[in-house]
Amino acid sequence: MNVAIAAPPSAAARHSRRRKRRSKTALVTICFGVGAIYFIPLVWVLSMSVRSAREILEPGLIPQSFNPENYGDAWERYELGKLFKNTGIVTAGTVLLGVALSVTAAYGFSLVKSRFGEFAFTVLLLGLMVPPAAVIIPFFIGMRELGLYDSLLAVVLAETVFVLPLGVLILRAYIESIPKDLSDAARIDGASEWSVFARIVFPLILPAAATVALFMFLSAWNGFLLPLVLLRDPNKTTLTVGLSQFSGQFGSFEWHLVAAASAIAVVPVLLVFYLARRYYVQGLAAGALKQ
Amino acid sequence: MSEIDRRRFLRLTGLGVAGMGLGSGLGTGLGRGVYASAAPATGDLEMWSWNGDGTYPEIHQAARAQWEAADDANGLRVTYTDFGQYVTRLKTVLAGGVPPDLVQMPWAGEYHDIIDANQLLALDDVIGAGFPALFQPIMDSLVYNDKTWAIPLDVNTLTIGYNLVAFEEAGVEVPTSLDELIAIAEPLRAAGYEPLGVSAKDGWPMGDLWFAQVAYTDQSGDAIRRAERGEISWDDDVFVAAAANVEKMAKGGLFAEGGSANDTATIVGQFATERFAMMYPVGNFLTGLIDQTSGGEVAYDLFAFPSPDGSQDSISTGGVAEMFSVPMNGENAEAAIELMRTFLSPEGLVELVDRDFIPATGDADTAANDDPIYVKMTSFQENAQTRVIYDPEVYAALTNEMTSLYNGDSTPDDVVKALADAAG
Amino acid sequence: MLLFIVILLVPVVAVIVLGFSGWTGFDLQQIRWEGARNYWELTKDSFFLAAFRHTVVLIAATALLMNALGLAAAMVVNSRVRGSEFLRIAMFLPLGLSPIITAVIWQRMLGPFGIVNEALGWFGISPVDFFGQPRMAFIALIAAYVWQYAGYNMLLYYAALQSLPTERVEAAAVDGASKWGQFRHVVLPYLRPVVAVVVILNLIGGWKIFDIVYVLTGGGPNRATDVLATYLYEQSFTFSNVGYASAIATIIIGLAVVSSLTRRAVAGSDTA
């Protein structure tokens, strides 16, 4: 319904427009305000990363000297190239495996309505509830029995196991919030289950899948206990484990380098976030859902 | 589940169980028959340590050079893990049955636990052959169940580091009694320094504050060992008095700001940038780092906590710094022991002394290093008192309650009660 | 798929079984069956009970804050005002940091010479000892945790809002509903299953909170912020009481299971 634009704004309309503007500026202030507060710790890390060794203990955010060579030093000193490679392999493996499995599983679960389906789903959820510290030893022994100890594959498998339940949980919730009529209509039209999945459901859950992929990425990228215990070869160390080594009890001496290393370590996360951004911006084919 | 899956499942589980049984059996067997050969054992070894910072790696690398030069078949890879995660990794790898050849051993609770679990090789037979004469008190402290399970590399003493310039500016001198120590806090503050920095965030320095006092309140020298054996109770006056002394220090404003938030490294930083006039504990594990952080610009010296009433010479606490054990299921125990001999060989001892470490043997020529700080540290070595409680739960209770005491949330009686509760 | 369930089940079952044992974690041949002794001891263990209390408080506080903050932020970001992208990135970045770095940053910030105390000084408040006092240590934990993970909630809510068909909202607006009415009658019901999932995730994840507590306060001062998972870790790796630790783990799992059952209550009966 189109509203005629011709009539001049009444006092009431002007008033509500002003209120809208005020609430809008309020929102903008909140955005920048809260955002700024959120950024403070990160700014602090950046500030640390360009300080000289003596300045590490100075309070405040603004460094007194600018030492960008810290980044190069940190890269070499901590062998960041190697750590990146290992972490990259583990993360890529986990995300690919995790997303593939959780998407199909979530769809499967959404179709199965039996008690067994619910039971299997609950068992899967158990994975979310297990404190990793408790299962390290059994996991370790298991991987050793499988001959996978001290391999990146072991870490990929282990991380995937922990990351799957979340993926399935989120994706199933999204799949279930899609109106049935859509898929039913396609089925009536003779489409196979797979084609229903591939052509209707999958595109709709793409944002959720992207979100899930993002979480899996983060979990694998920042994973700590599992790589710590399952890997031993110093050439296979991952970023987080490596970082914890440098920032150990006496590592605070090299805060500027550790901060630089952390800053570098966050860059891929930023990259992924930027790339995945397209999925959030892309709206759904909203028209398809019109009744 | 489908038939195929079920079969796969059963097969995997069966494999797993069988594998575990086989693995542990094989491992135990291999670990035993090792002592045969007469020629020095060789091998490509893996060693674990948590001292990846400071100058310890240089010692390890020097030993490696020597080891690898001795024979073509020799190799050494040292894996460092930060202490916070070291124990996790160690226990996991021991549980899994594939340990490295030589491991640095934590000297307190874990030592006994791991021995109890049959994970280490008893070393009594080898200590006589090829090793220098190691300090007897130290070796005595490593005995458990009548056997020795670790070989110490070096020892350290824990003392208070103090800034010479700060003392001069405040017009104070090295205190000779507890009251004097507390009394210098104010002039130091007036001169713009925080008095004594101790980390309450890392629990262990809190325990050391107490041990340093027990060194005086316990004139017999083995009260802690007797309490561990159950011969005396943990709420003995000796222990209460020690805690009371620390309380006195806390109430007297001796401790610097921020102990509860700062870890040891930060405290060192504050000391090295001359914000703190004193810090504790300082030992050879920290002197190198202090110099590094301050760029060698801080002029400091050491003194031990004075006796409470000033009636006796100061003594410090001390003990094993690095010690190594050989896991039972290691692949090449003989070569690992040979590697230890390399560490403690005459060349190895020279390396240690050069870098301000105090070797665990009287055979070392410590006089070769005339650095005044080093001389000071070694002078305390002879009378150094214990700083270990072997029961991990009692030790944890100690560090936890002492942290509360430091923060003003506990009392000396509470401290010993916590110890007794943990032991009981 | 089944393989993963198997891989997952084995440790879970192992943990539950170990909860009944007196294993010290090394020699597999040394596992002894002890029946329910571990669980009985836990009920008498004051450290365990304290850890339990602390975990409950932590979960409640953080879940509340994270969901309120996350939902509000998601809606603000969804409104596309200027700065919303800034806010979105700001809240999301902490997720990319490892808990170690986060903990160390917050340790510094809340230290006596840190920014927070400096800022408090501008308002004339004397420096707060965040790590030496139990209550303050709690606040420090909550702050760090919410800072790191609120973005997670925000992202889930934001993704949900993105798939909300806008015509429904428009239809309501045209029908004369106020902003608040639109929210109540269109957005909220749509979000209900998502809120349920997110809250449950927060709860379930909360029972096993470990990394950030371990690194920030270490459970201190003197166990004041000890949570179930840090106590478990200590029992398992410091004291070698793996059997006892496994019992704790089983309890954590049990509590999380109970929490997930509340999903029914929150989501209502609209999900099967």
Side-chain angles (χ1 to χ4, degrees):
Chain A
M1 276 164 261
N2 286 325
V3 180
I5 319 171
S10 64
R14 253 181 292 142
H15 187 67
S16 88
R17 256 221 307 278
R18 216 176 303 148
R19 204 187 312 149
K20 227 181 264 173
R21 224 178 303 148
R22 243 181 284 147
S23 62
K24 200 162 200 175
T25 39
L27 277 181
V28 177
T29 327
I30 292 179
C31 277
F32 282 114
V34 174
I37 295 181
Y38 250 85
F39 264 116
I40 290 179
L42 299 170
V43 170
W44 183 85
V45 174
L46 278 180
S47 156
M48 272 294 158
S49 67
V50 293
R51 296 190 189 192
S52 65
R54 289 218 67 172
E55 281 177 77
I56 296 175
L57 292 164
E58 300 285 336
L61 280 179
I62 314 203
Q64 280 159 1
S65 63
F66 186 67
N67 306 50
E69 69 270 13
N70 288 346
Y71 282 85
D73 289 344
W75 183 273
E76 270 173 35
R77 181 79 184 265
Y78 301 141
E79 298 180 286
L80 288 183
K82 183 180 76 179
L83 297 186
F84 261 92
K85 187 185 76 166
N86 293 330
T87 315
I89 295 175
V90 167
T91 309
T94 310
V95 170
L96 287 173
L97 197 55
V99 170
L101 284 178
S102 55
V103 164
T104 44
Y107 187 61
F109 276 117
S110 73
L111 290 180
V112 172
K113 291 292 179 231
S114 66
R115 292 249 317 262
F116 176 73
E118 276 308 302
F119 176 70
F121 188 63
T122 317
V123 167
L124 188 67
L125 280 195
L126 269 188
L128 269 182
M129 310 176 193
V130 176
V135 295
I136 297 180
I137 294 185
F139 245 89
F140 175 84
I141 297 180
M143 285 299 167
R144 188 177 57 100
E145 295 309 320
L146 288 174
L148 290 174
Y149 175 55
D150 203 18
S151 72
L152 292 176
L153 178 62
V155 182
V156 169
L157 287 178
E159 292 278 2
T160 311
V161 165
F162 276 103
V163 119
L164 263 183
L166 182 65
V168 174
L169 188 67
I170 294 180
L171 285 171
R172 190 173 106 140
Y174 276 94
I175 291 179
E176 287 188 354
S177 70
I178 294 174
K180 285 291 171 126
D181 4 314
L182 212 55
S183 39
D184 285 345
R187 275 193 210 100
I188 291 176
D189 281 349
S192 70
E193 206 55 60
W194 171 251
S195 139
V196 170
F197 172 67
R199 285 198 280 129
I200 297 179
V201 176
F202 188 70
L204 286 181
I205 62 171
L206 218 45
T211 314
V212 165
L214 200 53
F215 286 141
M216 291 186 173
F217 174 83
L218 286 175
S219 176
W221 188 263
N222 288 332
F224 180 61
L225 268 183
L226 290 169
L228 178 74
V229 158
L230 293 174
L231 294 173
R232 182 156 143 188
D233 188 346
N235 288 329
K236 298 197 181 123
T237 317
T238 58
L239 265 177
T240 317
V241 174
L243 270 176
S244 77
Q245 311 273 54
F246 328 134
S247 60
Q249 195 173 43
F250 298 126
S252 303
F253 290 107
E254 306 183 315
W255 249 127
H256 52 310
L257 293 180
V258 178
S262 315
I264 301 176
V266 173
V267 166
V269 177
L270 292 181
L271 212 66
V272 168
F273 181 51
Y274 178 71
L275 292 174
R277 198 163 157 247
R278 307 258 171 84
Y279 284 99
Y280 307 137
V281 172
Q282 167 192 323
L284 293 169
L289 289 176
K290 250 197 201 133
Q291 289 293 43
Chain B
M1 43 181 143
S2 72
E3 191 55 45
I4 304 175
D5 291 314
R6 191 180 313 156
R7 253 186 276 141
R8 212 192 309 161
F9 175 71
L10 285 175
R11 215 182 308 149
L12 253 184
T13 323
L15 195 70
V17 171
M20 289 184 221
L22 192 68
S24 33
L26 262 182
T28 336
L30 275 177
R32 294 220 205 257
V34 170
Y35 290 113
S37 48
T42 60
D44 194 12
L45 304 176
E46 189 188 355
M47 182 180 103
W48 278 22
S49 160
W50 66 77
N51 280 322
D53 294 302
T55 29
Y56 271 113
E58 293 175 29
I59 298 286
H60 303 151
Q61 291 311 309
R64 187 185 88 166
Q66 206 184 328
W67 172 250
E68 289 183 348
D71 194 298
D72 283 334
N74 283 348
L76 177 61
R77 202 178 65 201
V78 186
T79 307
Y80 296 109
T81 307
D82 180 59
F83 187 68
Q85 289 94 42
Y86 186 82
V87 175
T88 308
R89 258 191 162 169
L90 181 64
K91 290 195 171 177
T92 316
V93 105
L94 288 173
V98 286
D101 302 293
L102 194 65
V103 291
Q104 184 178 0
M105 255 339 225
W107 46 77
E110 287 86 1
Y111 183 53
H112 286 190
D113 274 350
I114 295 179
I115 296 171
D116 279 334
N118 281 327
Q119 292 300 310
L120 299 181
L121 224 48
L123 299 170
D124 305 80
D125 295 338
V126 297
I127 289 193
F131 284 102
L134 299 162
F135 287 137
Q136 199 52 48
I138 297 288
M139 294 316 291
D140 286 343
S141 72
L142 295 178
V143 170
Y144 184 58
N145 292 345
D146 294 327
K147 295 216 176 85
T148 316
W149 309 86
I151 296 182
L153 180 66
D154 65 323
V155 295
N156 56 22
T157 54
L158 272 59
T159 49
I160 300 178
Y162 71 102
N163 186 319
L164 293 165
V165 170
F167 269 44
E168 215 183 291
E169 285 179 18
V172 298
E173 303 206 334
V174 174
T176 54
S177 74
L178 186 58
D179 288 329
E180 275 182 38
L181 177 61
I182 297 178
I184 65 175
E186 222 201 279
L188 285 170
R189 281 218 162 86
Y193 299 89
E194 291 283 333
L196 179 60
V198 187
S199 170
K201 178 120 207 298
D202 301 329
W204 62 272
M206 299 285 105
D208 277 297
L209 282 175
W210 183 80
F211 286 122
Q213 293 307 310
V214 172
Y216 293 116
T217 59
D218 167 33
Q219 289 298 317
S220 73
D222 70 343
I224 293 184
R225 298 282 89 80
R226 275 184 289 138
E228 281 176 340
R229 291 195 290 264
E231 291 167 27
I232 62 174
S233 163
W234 282 108
D235 55 18
D236 190 290
D237 286 338
V238 156
F239 303 131
V240 180
N245 286 350
V246 179
E247 189 188 34
K248 212 166 150 193
M249 292 184 226
K251 294 215 163 119
L254 179 62
F255 296 123
E257 279 289 313
S260 50
N262 293 328
D263 58 9
T264 303
T266 316
I267 302 275
V268 170
Q270 307 278 33
F271 181 72
T273 50
E274 307 194 78
R275 253 170 274 236
F276 289 176
M278 301 180 279
M279 72 161 286
Y280 180 78
V282 176
N284 51 17
F285 52 95
L286 282 185
T287 51
L289 293 169
I290 294 178
D291 291 331
Q292 226 174 44
T293 315
S294 69
E297 279 175 29
V298 169
Y300 68 99
D301 200 351
L302 306 171
F303 69 90
F305 270 103
S307 64
D309 56 5
S311 63
Q312 63 179 108
D313 285 337
S314 308
I315 52 181
S316 76
T317 55
V320 176
E322 270 203 353
M323 70 187 203
F324 290 91
S325 294
V326 181
M328 181 82 89
N329 296 325
E331 286 177 359
N332 199 340
E334 271 224 334
I337 295 172
E338 192 59 37
L339 176 62
M340 271 306 299
R341 292 197 179 98
T342 309
F343 269 107
L344 287 167
S345 65
E347 295 89 347
L349 295 180
V350 168
E351 297 278 355
L352 284 168
V353 170
D354 262 351
R355 290 182 181 78
D356 289 350
F357 294 115
I358 308 174
T361 166
D363 291 352
D365 182 20
T366 51
N369 183 338
D370 59 3
D371 179 62
I373 299 273
Y374 185 66
V375 172
K376 206 34 112 52
M377 287 194 288
T378 40
S379 71
F380 285 112
Q381 171 53 38
E382 211 186 314
N383 294 320
Q385 298 296 301
T386 182
R387 57 176 287 254
V388 178
I389 290 181
Y390 286 108
D391 184 329
E393 301 196 20
V394 177
Y395 182 68
L398 174 70
T399 51
N400 283 332
E401 278 305 309
M402 284 304 294
T403 308
S404 280
L405 185 75
Y406 174 97
N407 286 323
D409 281 334
S410 186
T411 68
D413 285 321
D414 285 337
V415 172
V416 296
K417 180 167 181 307
L419 295 179
D421 283 343
Chain C
M1 190 61 217
L2 214 51
L3 180 65
F4 277 100
I5 295 190
V6 168
I7 294 183
L8 186 61
L9 257 188
V10 171
V12 174
V13 169
V15 166
I16 297 179
V17 169
L18 283 176
F20 290 100
S21 77
W23 195 29
T24 50
F26 297 108
D27 196 349
L28 280 170
Q29 289 154 1
Q30 277 183 359
I31 306 182
R32 303 181 321 271
W33 178 262
E34 296 223 345
R37 203 191 85 167
N38 284 332
Y39 293 97
W40 174 239
E41 301 240 347
L42 280 176
T43 56
K44 295 187 293 179
D45 185 348
S46 60
F47 292 154
F48 172 74
L49 295 171
F52 179 74
R53 268 195 335 261
H54 300 152
T55 315
V56 170
V57 171
L58 201 57
I59 293 180
T62 53
L64 202 67
L65 286 174
M66 288 202 303
N67 280 295
L69 188 57
L71 186 54
M75 296 195 44
V76 168
V77 170
N78 200 33
S79 70
R80 299 288 166 86
V81 297
R82 239 164 41 114
S84 65
E85 205 52 26
F86 179 70
L87 179 64
R88 184 161 74 114
I89 297 179
M91 283 187 70
F92 190 69
L93 277 186
L95 282 170
L97 290 177
S98 71
I100 295 155
I101 301 297
T102 308
V104 177
I105 296 177
W106 280 84
Q107 210 177 305
R108 286 294 161 81
M109 291 201 334
L110 294 171
F113 307 116
I115 300 170
V116 174
N117 276 318
E118 214 180 304
L120 286 178
W122 300 334
F123 295 103
I125 308 177
S126 56
V128 177
D129 181 6
F130 279 99
F131 295 102
Q133 292 182 34
R135 205 162 286 169
M136 288 294 125
F138 243 101
I139 293 188
L141 258 185
I142 295 174
Y145 192 83
V146 170
W147 180 80
Q148 176 139 46
Y149 292 114
Y152 177 86
N153 285 16
M154 181 207 73
L155 204 66
L156 287 172
Y157 286 132
Y158 179 62
L161 286 174
Q162 282 287 46
S163 27
L164 168 60
T166 46
E167 330 78 52
R168 285 207 212 165
V169 180
E170 283 163 15
V174 162
D175 282 349
S178 65
K179 267 264 149 59
W180 174 245
Q182 289 167 32
F183 181 69
R184 265 188 67 207
H185 295 282
V186 182
V187 180
L188 212 50
Y190 180 79
L191 283 182
R192 223 148 157 237
V194 183
V195 171
V197 170
V198 176
V199 169
I200 295 304
L201 285 176
N202 290 154
L203 286 186
I204 295 178
W207 288 112
K208 56 176 186 173
I209 288 181
F210 176 71
D211 302 54
I212 222 173
V213 180
Y214 185 64
V215 187
L216 190 65
T217 60
N222 196 1
R223 298 186 189 280
T225 56
D226 208 10
V227 293
L228 289 174
T230 51
Y231 188 56
L232 183 168
Y233 187 85
E234 188 186 26
Q235 285 297 326
S236 186
F237 289 100
T238 313
F239 301 152
S240 292
N241 295 332
V242 176
Y244 199 62
S246 300
I248 300 176
T250 311
I251 292 184
I252 293 180
I253 297 175
L255 287 168
V257 168
V258 167
S259 306
S260 75
L261 292 178
T262 64
R263 177 166 105 107
R264 291 287 152 103
V266 180
S269 50
D270 44 56
T271 46

